[in-house]
Each structure stands twice: as C-alpha cells, then as structure tokens.
Amino acid sequence: AQSVTQPDIHITVSEGASLELRCNYSYGATPYLFWYVQSPGQGLQLLLKYFSGDTLVQGIKGFEAEFKRSQSSFNLRKPSVHWSDAAEYFCAVVASGGSYIPTFGRGTSLIVHP
Amino acid sequence: DGGITQSPKYLFRKEGQNVTLSCEQNLNHDAMYWYRQDPGQGLRLIYYSQIVNDFQKGDIAEGYSVSREKKESFPLTVTSAQKNPTAFYLCASSKNPSLNEQFFGPGTRLTVL
C-alpha cells in the first residue's frame, strides 16, 4: 500500500520569502500526485497535480511542484509567499493501477509572518 | 456554478443519537467520498461510492453508514456506535475515479455534547 510523509508539521516564513513544502511517498510504481490547500474551517482545494510527462508542474496561486522519481518526492514551492497563503497544505498520492483511492499526508501548517 | 454542498456547517448531537450529514454535488461526478479530519491526523477515508447504489468501506467505517440512491447525493449517518464522533467531516467527489482528482465540499463540524 502507498504511504505519504509530510515531514514538517509547521513551517514559518516571512512574507515575500520563498517556500518549499516537502512530500515523500512510498509506492512501487509512478503514482498520481496532488497538492491541496485548506483554509481554516474550509474544505480542500486542489493546487496542482501530476499524472505523467513534465516533472515540473504549475498550479494555481503561483505554486509549482517537482516530481523527483529518484527521491520519491513531490515538493511544493512558491518563490514569494503572500500572507494569504497561510493555510494547511496536504500532499496526496493515488496508486495507479490499484484501488485509485488517495492517501493523504498529515498536512503541513504554513504560518506567514508580516 | 457547479460544486459540492454540505449541510449543516455545524452540528451538535447528544450522546446516543444518530445524526445524518448531507452531501450534494451538481458536478455530474460518478464517485463520491466521505473523510474524517482530526487535528494532526490528515484525512481518513470513511466510505466511498463509485457508482449509484454501490459503496465500499474505507479505513474507518465502523460506526458510520451511507447510502447512494442518487448520483448527486451521498449522505453519511454517524451512529451511536461511533465512539468518538466529534470531528470535521469532509465530502468529496471525483469525475474520473481512476485519476481521482477530488473536489471537496466546505465540511461539517460535528460536536457531541
């Protein structure tokens, strides 16, 4: 079965600084990969996804992520963080060819200082 | 606009009572899912349905029940058998279950008094 690890429970950055949120997965083949964002008390919104092809994917709100097969990683990046980016971020993995049920990481809480 | 609605936003229940959470979607998606979210736990799958009149248990189905009589609707009942029901419940849907890009509703926060 696949698993997802988000090593950082909390990340604190200053507004305008760059951001990288880490996501590592465990799965034998190439999975489908997702990043979602959740504002407090709200549902999740898809930021970006990777199915195949170009390993650098662009998403909404200026986010991007890079799939690195050799490192089993799918880290989320943003060059300049805005205060409105403060939220909970979840990485998710879907095993292609299996049940297609996503496995979510435990989330990383992003705190943005002015 | 298409989307997923969940009602109510907040729900309070006394111990020993069953309660039903509503989830409706007008996205014409075949698959629907229920998740439970607790602080620091991420999302845990309760039940899912990939087609009308069919559903499967997820990782934490005990104490919950669902039905899928219509494509648009996937209500979740939290029964008195669920030992610790206080949580945030999220409903999601997916157009293509094999790719499983999910669209989420706004959630229902259930508190047991």
Side-chain angles (χ1 to χ4, degrees):
Chain A
Q2 70 268 25
S3 65
V4 180
T5 301
Q6 293 181 247
D8 303 304
I9 298 174
H10 303 283
I11 290 278
T12 302
V13 299
S14 298
E15 191 168 16
S18 64
L19 171 70
E20 182 170 35
L21 301 182
R22 295 183 290 166
C23 173
N24 293 96
Y25 67 89
S26 173
Y27 179 58
T30 299
Y32 303 143
L33 297 159
F34 306 83
W35 274 100
Y36 292 87
V37 61
Q38 183 183 34
S39 297
Q42 300 297 318
L44 278 67
Q45 180 185 20
L46 181 69
L47 281 175
L48 47 77
K49 60 196 175 191
Y50 173 80
F51 294 143
S52 65
D54 192 348
T55 57
L56 184 64
V57 294
Q58 302 297 321
I60 62 171
K61 305 185 180 188
F63 285 93
E64 67 176 27
E66 186 172 13
F67 169 57
K68 292 186 177 180
R69 185 192 307 274
S70 61
Q71 299 177 18
S72 297
S73 69
F74 189 57
N75 294 349
L76 182 70
R77 300 194 295 249
K78 187 170 185 177
S80 178
V81 171
H82 188 263
W83 64 266
S84 60
D85 292 324
E88 190 90 13
Y89 291 80
F90 292 93
C91 181
V93 168
V94 171
S96 58
S99 66
Y100 299 106
I101 300 301
T103 298
F104 288 83
R106 293 195 170 195
T108 297
S109 177
L110 175 62
I111 301 164
V112 181
H113 281 315
Chain B
D1 286 338
I4 300 178
T5 57
Q6 291 186 243
S7 61
K9 179 71 172 174
Y10 299 96
L11 190 55
F12 298 89
R13 174 195 110 173
K14 293 182 180 179
E15 281 192 22
Q17 289 181 335
N18 293 354
V19 63
T20 298
L21 282 59
S22 169
C23 177
E24 304 277 334
Q25 56 101 357
N26 62 3
L27 299 167
N28 199 32
H29 286 176
D30 288 317
M32 297 186 74
Y33 307 81
W34 273 106
Y35 294 94
R36 171 180 171 140
Q37 186 177 26
D38 297 282
Q41 298 261 359
L43 276 67
R44 292 184 289 169
L45 183 65
I46 305 172
Y47 269 98
Y48 66 100
S49 167
Q50 296 185 329
I51 196 169
V52 174
N53 292 323
D54 188 44
F55 48 83
Q56 283 76 41
K57 293 181 179 180
D59 299 320
I60 57 165
E62 185 175 353
Y64 300 97
S65 66
V66 294
S67 63
R68 186 86 187 277
E69 297 176 0
K70 299 186 301 182
K71 187 175 186 177
E72 301 79 16
S73 178
F74 191 41
L76 173 74
T77 297
V78 184
T79 74
S80 57
Q82 169 50 233
K83 291 181 172 52
N84 184 21
T86 295
F88 191 54
Y89 291 88
L90 287 161
C91 179
S93 70
S94 172
K95 182 175 179 61
N96 186 339
S98 62
L99 296 177
N100 221 337
E101 172 185 341
Q102 299 201 334
F103 294 80
F104 284 82
T108 292
R109 184 166 299 281
L110 172 64
T111 303
V112 175
L113 304 173

